[in-house]
Amino acid sequence: MAGIVKPQSGFVITPHKVSICILLQVYAPSGQLSVPFPFASISQHNRLGLFLIALTKSCDDILEPTLDEFLKLLKEFGGLLDNWLSDHVTGRLSSLSSPDDLFTFFSELRGILAGPETSIIDDDQINLDPNSNLGMYLRRCLLAFNILSFEGMCHLLTNIKTYCKEGFSPYEMSHLDDASNDPEAPLEYENMDLENIVLQNFTEELESRKRSTERVPFHNHSSKALFSLVEDITVSPGHKVKHNHRSQTQTHSPSVESSDVILQRTNWQIQGYLSEQADMIEKLGSSFPMSAFEYVLKLLQKVTPELHRVHFLRYLNSLYHDDYPAALENLHRYFDYSAGMEGSDFVPPLSFMNNGRYEIALLSLGMAHFHFGHPELALKVLTEAVRVCQMHSDDTCLAYTLTAICNLLSEVGISNITGIMGASDSHVSTSLSVQQQLFVLLRRSLKRADSLKLKRLVASNQLALAKFDLKHVQRPLLSFGPKASVQFRTSPTNVCKNLRLSSQLIHQFDNESSTVTVDGALSTSWLKNQEKPTTALVFPQESGSESNCDMFYSWLQSSSVPGSVLQLVGSSYLVRVTSWELYGSAFLARSNALLFATCFADSSSSADLALAYGKLIQHVAVYKGYQEAFVAHRIAEAKFLSVSKSGILTVKLQLLHERALHRGHLKLAQQTCDELGVLASSVAGVDMELKTEASLRRARTLLAANQFSQAASVAHSLFCKCYKFNMHVENATVLLFLAEIHKRSGNGVLGIPYVLASLSFCESFNLDLLRAAATLTLAELWLLLGPRHAKRALNLIHSAFPIILGQGGLELQSRAHIAEAKCYLSDSSISVSEDPDIVLDSLRQACEGLEALEYHEMAAEAYYLMAIVLNKSGQMEQRENAAARFKQHITALENPIKPKDPLVNLL
Amino acid sequence: MGVSKETCRNELRTAIRHLTDRCLFAASKWAAEQLVGIEQDPAKYPPSHTRLQRDCSSIRRRFRSTDEITATPVAGTSYVSTPVPEEESEDVDSDFYLLAKMYFNCREYRRAAHVLSDQTGMKALFLRCYALYLAGEKRKEEETIELEGPLGKSDAVNSELVSIERDLAAVRKNGSIDPFGLYLYGLVLKAKGNENLARTVLVESVNTYPWNWSAWLELQSLCTTIDTLNSLKLNNHWMKDFFLACTYHELRMHNESLAKYDYLQATFGCSNYIKAQIAKAQYSLREFELVEAIFEELLRIDPYRIDDMDMYSNVLYAKECFSGLSYLAHQVFMTDKYRPESCCIIGNYYSLKGLHEKSVMYFRRALKLDKKYLSAWTLMGHEYVEMKNTPAAVDAYRRAVDINPCDYRAWYGLGQAYEMMGMPYYALHYFKKSVFLQPGDSRLWIAMAHCYETDQLRMLEEAIKCYRRAANCNDREAIALHKLAKLHSELGQSQEAAFYYKKDLERMEDEEREGPNMVEALMFLAKYCRAQKRFEEAEVYCTRLLDYNGPEKETAKSLLQDIKLAQSGFP
């Protein structure tokens, strides 16, 4: 901060550095032969050199290893020599007992540096080139020692003493460490007991789940195909999470080192660790163990009070655990300290601005409000962010803010924003509707992002545009008079184009300037990688080292595309899924969902993943029946840490509701429907989609109970709501449903206008599958009006057949078959008794599908029709068969058996 | 009073002996101050005895003539008489103990501890541990300076804590620990972050030996909420009243605190400590006149006092009393320039002079001497705001808030800084915090209302709510009423506007203020009454307007004619 002088964290000599120097002396004793004393071979010697280089690289430490840890590290690297080396180090350290010893030690060290004049390198002698890595390090140490005051020297001496003592007597160490290790610690954690219990349960749950899924790591997003080589790395975050709260649950053990924060020492590594954890939090959402991580963060904060990023992590942590006050508090604290100058990826490194970048604070605050479901507050904050960005001409932040506003507008149901945005925002003229404003905003922010070359932002804007195009009719923004041609369609080509463009990102990514964070993460995982196969790396048998290198490089390659990019690209696939679903290609939707689940599962958030799994499960339900869907669901469930908070729960409720409706368990249907309604009104903002779905399902339940007028009134209010929030796609469905109500109530004439309206909606939105369904309903309605219209109905059905049979689900197909059969039966020009097979074929197919769905009512109808046809054609035996099945379904419908499904009990 | 003055006096005298014997100097100093603070019967003693006590209740006479009721003590408090512990072997202190005490007095702590290393007995153990503790503290402070600047990271810890804790925990376990040992144990536990146990131990200590003020202070610093305070099981002793008064003040329950001090003054009528504490509480209630009077008296009795003088300088600053502040600064500078308070006072002086760079320099010096010195951080923030260096100001304020999250001034400063940067909505968060902590301060409400009122937000309804709160508090500058009237008229709510204009007018009449606000109020009221067809009233306002020059006069004239016309038109 301007004004406050930050402590110069210069290169200070520490006991750890002294021990490195001792090793350096061993490595390059002055004036020795090529293979100095303790080493058996040149390769051994070189390996020590490698080890030393690795150590010197991490010299800008926040925390340094204790002697114990250092010796352990040395042991892993040292192989046969380790005993000699560690004895040497400890012996040498303990021999330093007075300031003068230190003095002589460092002047000896000076001797191993080759002077500048000895440029001719004598092959037989080992001299440390002063300009090499190790040489530089040594010189820095020497310099640091030379400028030490006498007090400093005394300090070093006492530090070395404690360093040695800690290494030898564990009792002392546990006492000298901070409060968490003292014997009174349990008292201090008294009030955390509850949390511990929760955590313990969590661990147990985790473990049991792990066992049940047979060695599937609990957060198994790693697709074997891509990352099989680096499995232990990709899985390690999960393990780490566990480790951390293990160390928490067992507060007695002074094993701070088991939580591996402490094993990471350098600034970079801590930064990397933090950003990794940030990713984890964002990915896992609320299932991330909160208090354990909070504990780690507090520890970190104690050690490094000037590392403000810790506050940001605390903010993230509380954000994702819906702790509103804590989140707000930490957010403000972070930005008060850092002034927005630290940590965010897109800060240009050379921006010298005295007045801070507080607009980023506003942006983050706005997003936090958005997360907590306060869209109006969020909009206010973001508007202020826009203003401050303009004031400080911070274009980058402005672009991000605009995108955030777009997201907010598109995802949250706001029917009217004029009151909120006010006239102060010059970007949006308030006379336009929300949708039009959103569109304008989207276009502008895309342009802005493009001109600023913010590739990720461009991609996400394109994605947002695609989403917009998917669901909204494009009207000319300003229509003057009758001349303006009103084109009333969505444009799938635009959607497709935008989607393609946004996934281009992954190819362009190479030269994005976010190497900073990647570096940090890299050094973290390199260190982690080091722990296990270390011996192989430094004192290896030849083959061992190679495989290790491979692993390292493949990790590098896989990480050259940062997680945020992968996430974006992944979500573009999710949008594809939705778009294909809407446009009526179930199979393309499924394949895209599969693609997402295999390739991007690792980098995407758990919410996205749940969405993808949900789509797949529903696909199974619609095309294969519930039995298989529930199996799939169980598999998916095992992959999520906490089912209750993820989207998987919604899917389960949907499945249960559908099945209950089909089986005729109206009570159960009502119950599940209510549960869904509860989910829709969650704390984190109202999910409009879920809300409309819940009320549509309610209407369907009412319809199934033959409460026509109530169902119709629910549907009507839903229609009004959708209209208010401009959700036209949903309206097509609602209209079709209204027609359905009239059909069920036997009032065909009234139903027809609704179907026609729905059809026209489908047409303008390119909803092909829904259109086929609407056509089918239209046919059914015509059929209701009397046998005179059978021909027309049949024609309609046949026109819709290609799509229905190609893409439609079991229910739709069966309905189409039955309707077709009915047409034939009521058509007087066709004698069924002569050619029963045209009817029987389709009826048989219908029966098959309906039995898989356990749809008793329609199955009964189908069997009834079948029996009639068989009766007419005189196939008595089969008729009896069909009649028996009919009876079976009717009884099942009338006396619903209490479902004995374990899933129900979970509710 | 449940305890006679004489009892208190005797108890304190013994306590001073005990405390000095154990080198607990701060506590014995405090006790001695209170001892002298007990009002003497002037008939019994020659004037030299009461030299330090003269005029001791003049302030009370000046300011408290009206509300004698509050002075009546809380009735029915029955005190537990805590037996004064007999010293183990009063005059047979071992020679080693004497030697150790002398070393201790000469600040050779380690030497003192070493001398006592073989001594048994609780007294020796205490002094040994205490000496070690102080040695560790001293070393810690030196290390902090050696290692880094005092503003940055300091991982220096008192390295003696572990061994002291081990020893004292052992003694406590076998039950032979004395209250002083408990106090030290509590101190160590608090330093190690084990607050719950520290609280228990300190309560034990003060219950067995209530006269150790240092123990009470440690306990007070551990009571951050009223619930914690209420959960303490403390014996009733008159020292508890001191403790409660002090803790109430820290918990911002100023009136409760004042009541306690008033009650205590019945016994300790001449205690400078109590006077300073009352000044502190009154300062929080913004009774600057009274505070100034108290401090003047304090300085007269005790001219070399530095404690709490920074607050006096704040008062002088607020009253823009240049000469007084410079005199004070000079005096403390001559007394002890290396006290954080002194630096702070000098900083205040420069700030008043408008020399903000110099002022920052002195605040920084104060912080160097004590980096947890709350008000210096806040004041430094103010200076940075003056210097338009908002990020630095934000940083300084934030540090203050992190030291004590109840410092409403720093929250207010943060809000102000953000408002200056054109982020009024973001600033609101901070204003809300500060208003929450100090809901009776009209300035905070006005600042918040102003934030709502900015061009960027224009949330006038909320602004009105804030101004209303401000008007209900003691709004000295009378900004709120005027603003309320203006906002209401802006929103077209003329009835409310008229109400507030009238109130504002009355207030201005009371305080005999004139100015544009007056004209504005009269103008509005005249027009309003005219529109409401209350012609007589309108006429009154118009005629008053005629006293002013400017365009309003003409408008008033035409209005008057208008009214005449209307009156004749509709009789």
Side-chain angles (χ1 to χ4, degrees), chain A residues 155 336-337 377 384 387, chain B residues 146 402 418 425 433 456:
Chain A
H155 253 293
D336 285 346
Y337 276 134
L377 283 182
E384 185 158 297
R387 207 179 44 238
Chain B
E146 280 165 26
D402 278 351
Y418 279 110
Y425 197 82
K433 284 251 180 199
Q456 293 98 330

Side-chain angles (χ1 to χ4, degrees), chain A residues 1-5 7-8 62 151 155 171 175 179 182 184 187-188 190 303 305-306 328-329 331-333 335-337 354-356 358-359 361-362 365 377 380-381 384 387-388 391 424, chain B residues 139 143 146-148 151-153 162 165-166 185 192-194 196-197 364 377 380 384 389-392 394-395 398-399 402 411 414 418 421-426 429-430 433 456-457 459:
Chain A
M1 295 323 78
I4 308 284
V5 182
Q8 291 296 312
I62 287 176
E151 286 113 312
H155 253 293
Y171 176 77
H175 266 269
D182 69 359
E184 305 288 354
L187 260 170
E188 196 184 339
E190 260 172 356
V303 180
E306 294 295 328
L328 227 54
E329 185 56 46
L331 178 80
H332 279 101
R333 177 173 292 138
F335 282 106
D336 285 346
Y337 276 134
N354 198 25
N355 40 11
Y358 293 99
E359 54 272 21
L362 285 168
L365 182 64
L377 283 182
K380 263 186 195 143
V381 175
E384 185 158 297
R387 207 179 44 238
V388 176
M391 206 160 71
S424 61
Chain B
R139 187 73 207 114
E143 264 178 47
E146 280 165 26
L147 289 174
E148 304 273 353
L151 302 185
K153 157 185 167 181
V162 181
E165 190 195 355
R166 205 166 39 203
Y185 190 36
K192 297 202 78 184
N194 192 347
N196 285 332
L197 188 58
R364 294 179 67 92
W377 279 117
M380 191 157 88
Y384 279 126
N389 188 350
T390 29
V394 165
D395 195 277
R398 177 42 92 167
R399 277 165 208 274
D402 278 351
W411 285 116
L414 274 170
Y418 279 110
M421 285 188 279
M423 296 160 72
Y425 197 82
Y426 198 76
H429 172 83
Y430 298 102
K433 284 251 180 199
Q456 293 98 330
L457 290 182
M459 294 158 79

Side-chain angles (χ1 to χ4, degrees), chain A residues 283-296:
Chain A
K283 195 191 286 178
L284 290 177
S286 50
S287 39
F288 194 82
M290 175 182 188
S291 48
F293 188 53
E294 184 75 19
Y295 170 75
V296 171

Side-chain angles (χ1 to χ4, degrees), chain B residues 374-422:
Chain B
L374 189 64
S375 57
W377 279 117
T378 314
L379 290 171
M380 191 157 88
H382 292 335
E383 294 312 306
Y384 279 126
V385 167
E386 292 289 331
M387 291 158 70
K388 301 272 179 295
N389 188 350
T390 29
V394 165
D395 195 277
Y397 285 133
R398 177 42 92 167
R399 277 165 208 274
V401 162
D402 278 351
I403 290 168
N404 180 5
C406 297
D407 185 20
Y408 71 94
R409 287 183 196 82
W411 285 116
Y412 169 77
L414 274 170
Q416 234 181 0
Y418 279 110
E419 202 189 341
M420 267 173 64
M421 285 188 279

Side-chain angles (χ1 to χ4, degrees), chain B residues 36-325:
Chain B
V36 179
I38 301 176
E39 218 164 345
Q40 301 284 8
D41 187 358
K44 268 198 235 163
Y45 293 92
S48 70
H49 256 273
T50 51
R51 188 178 59 84
L52 285 171
Q53 297 182 351
R54 66 194 162 191
D55 299 336
C56 52
S57 44
S58 65
I59 301 275
R60 270 195 289 165
R61 264 174 245 129
R62 255 166 69 197
F63 285 91
R64 262 235 328 263
S65 52
T66 47
D67 50 6
E68 277 302 325
I69 313 111
T70 48
T72 30
V74 194
T77 344
S78 62
Y79 285 99
V80 177
S81 65
T82 313
V84 179
E86 273 306 306
E87 282 302 277
E88 5 182 294
S89 46
E90 194 94 38
D91 37 11
V92 280
D93 266 343
S94 77
D95 301 341
F96 285 113
Y97 190 83
L98 285 176
L99 178 62
K101 219 167 91 177
M102 286 312 117
Y103 281 146
F104 192 103
N105 286 346
C106 297
R107 296 169 171 251
E108 297 183 77
Y109 301 122
R110 279 192 197 280
R111 253 179 128 181
H114 184 71
V115 167
L116 289 174
S117 55
D118 299 328
Q119 298 295 304
T120 52
M122 203 45 226
K123 212 165 144 190
L125 176 70
F126 170 78
L127 192 63
R128 185 171 66 82
C129 289
Y130 190 47
L132 271 181
Y133 174 77
L134 285 184
E137 286 295 301
K138 195 173 149 210
R139 187 73 207 114
K140 177 178 128 189
E141 254 155 42
E142 286 165 3
E143 264 178 47
T144 322
I145 293 162
E146 280 165 26
L147 289 174
E148 304 273 353
L151 302 185
K153 157 185 167 181
S154 75
D155 49 3
V157 284
N158 187 337
S159 53
E160 305 296 337
L161 290 184
V162 181
S163 64
I164 300 176
E165 190 195 355
R166 205 166 39 203
D167 292 353
L168 288 175
V171 188
R172 184 173 180 244
K173 215 175 220 170
N174 68 30
S176 62
I177 197 162
D178 70 350
F180 302 102
L182 282 171
Y183 157 65
L184 188 57
Y185 190 36
L187 211 63
V188 171
L189 286 172
K190 189 188 150 206
K192 297 202 78 184
N194 192 347
E195 299 199 345
N196 285 332
L197 188 58
R199 221 174 280 136
T200 327
V201 167
L202 285 170
V203 168
E204 264 176 60
S205 167
V206 295
N207 277 343
T208 40
Y209 191 87
W211 301 278
N212 182 0
W213 181 241
S214 305
W216 288 105
L217 273 184
E218 289 304 322
L219 191 56
Q220 183 262 310
S221 71
L222 289 171
C223 293
T224 42
T225 61
I226 185 73
D227 293 333
T228 2
L229 178 64
N230 290 336
S231 68
L232 297 180
K233 288 193 184 62
L234 293 170
N235 291 345
N236 261 336
H237 185 271
W238 52 268
M239 284 292 282
K240 186 186 170 187
D241 292 322
F242 276 103
F243 166 70
L244 283 181
C246 176
T247 316
Y248 284 149
H249 176 74
E250 289 301 318
L251 296 172
R252 299 185 313 287
M253 299 154 66
H254 303 303
N255 288 322
E256 287 86 342
S257 161
L258 275 178
K260 274 278 174 218
Y261 281 127
D262 274 348
Y263 168 61
L264 282 168
Q265 256 189 342
T267 315
F268 300 92
C270 299
S271 161
N272 290 342
Y273 167 79
I274 293 183
K275 275 176 210 149
Q277 292 298 311
I278 289 177
K280 255 189 201 171
Q282 296 288 7
Y283 177 73
S284 308
L285 295 169
R286 304 184 45 73
E287 298 290 343
F288 290 154
E289 300 289 332
L290 180 55
V291 178
E292 198 186 356
I294 296 174
F295 274 117
E296 271 169 13
E297 185 186 306
L298 268 181
L299 271 186
R300 198 149 34 83
I301 302 168
D302 186 4
Y304 299 104
R305 184 189 177 95
I306 294 185
D307 295 328
D308 308 316
M309 281 302 146
D310 51 332
M311 194 193 314
Y312 183 34
S313 81
N314 287 348
V315 173
L316 291 174
Y317 183 92
K319 300 187 76 178
E320 300 193 8
C321 182
F322 286 91
S323 60
L325 192 50

